[in-house]
Amino acid sequence: MDEEETVTRLKQAAEAKRAAEKAAAEQFESAVVDALREGLKPAKVADATGYSYETIRRIARANDISRLREPTVTSRKKTSSGGDSPA
């Protein structure tokens, strides 16, 4: 095999690797989105996949999944005027 054939083979292998990685990333993202839309909590998705919670949040935001959980009483107070309790 001459040098040109070797380089061509390397380029083809690199392209095949990139395509496989892209397909795997798309499949992973789709599975994460499906899990979140079915009601699985992001922490559970993170634990099941081994990816960080922030990665799961990034995927959720990129796919227009707005809230990952219901607001807590504390977060509701922070968004209301004043943010302090009437004590």
Side-chain angles (χ1 to χ4, degrees), residues 4 23 28 40-41 47 51 54 56 61-63 71 75 81 83 87:
E4 187 176 321
F28 172 73
L40 214 58
K41 294 189 183 291
D47 288 343
Y51 283 81
E54 190 54 38
I56 304 307
R61 282 190 212 117
N63 287 277
S75 64
S81 63

Side-chain angles (χ1 to χ4, degrees), residues 5 10 14 19 23 32 34 36 43 48 54 63 68-69 75:
E5 290 174 340
L10 283 170
V32 168
D34 289 346
L36 292 172
E54 190 54 38
N63 287 277
L68 297 178
R69 62 184 172 90
S75 64

Side-chain angles (χ1 to χ4, degrees), residues 72-87:
T72 62
V73 172
T74 303
S75 64
R76 285 186 185 138
K77 285 181 182 178
K78 287 180 182 177
T79 58
S80 67
S81 63
D84 294 324
S85 62

